[in-house]
Amino acid sequence: KNVSPFDVHVAVAGKDASVMAIGETIVDSLEESGFEVLFDDRPKVSPGVKFGDAELLGVPLIVIVGRDAAEGTVELWNRRTGDRTSVAIIELGAALVAQS
């Protein structure tokens, strides 16, 4: 965490415009809360490539915005522990603070 240039990496896993919009909203909200955010919004890149790039970049926490985003949840991946948990978008900021 001390050497990472970002606090959290947000990756959109899907090409649906609504999922992309949710990802943008999440990034805006996190930045307003003081997090340094890297946003992977590349539309023509597969989720697997995005996750591989996330591993290479080494940001400690990764938020995956996928098909469940429309229901109000995202996946939070803690790279240090390897744990992946489903988190309500409304509780994401608190979950990130708890895992920092």
Side-chain angles (χ1 to χ4, degrees), residues 3-6 9 38-40 42 49-60 62 79:
V3 298
S4 176
F6 299 96
H9 184 152
L38 174 62
F39 185 32
D40 190 344
R42 298 176 289 173
V49 170
K50 289 181 182 185
F51 301 152
D53 290 349
E55 284 282 330
L56 289 173
L57 292 170
V59 178
I62 301 167
R79 288 189 56 252

Side-chain angles (χ1 to χ4, degrees), residues 2-56:
N2 294 334
V3 298
S4 176
F6 299 96
D7 299 318
V8 62
H9 184 152
V10 176
V12 175
K15 297 177 176 135
D16 185 16
S18 65
V19 174
M20 185 64 71
I22 293 169
E24 290 170 355
T25 302
I26 289 170
V27 169
D28 291 343
S29 176
L30 292 175
E31 287 176 338
E32 287 175 9
S33 297
F35 290 96
E36 293 289 327
V37 181
L38 174 62
F39 185 32
D40 190 344
D41 61 347
R42 298 176 289 173
K44 295 184 181 185
V45 177
S46 72
V49 170
K50 289 181 182 185
F51 301 152
D53 290 349
E55 284 282 330
L56 289 173

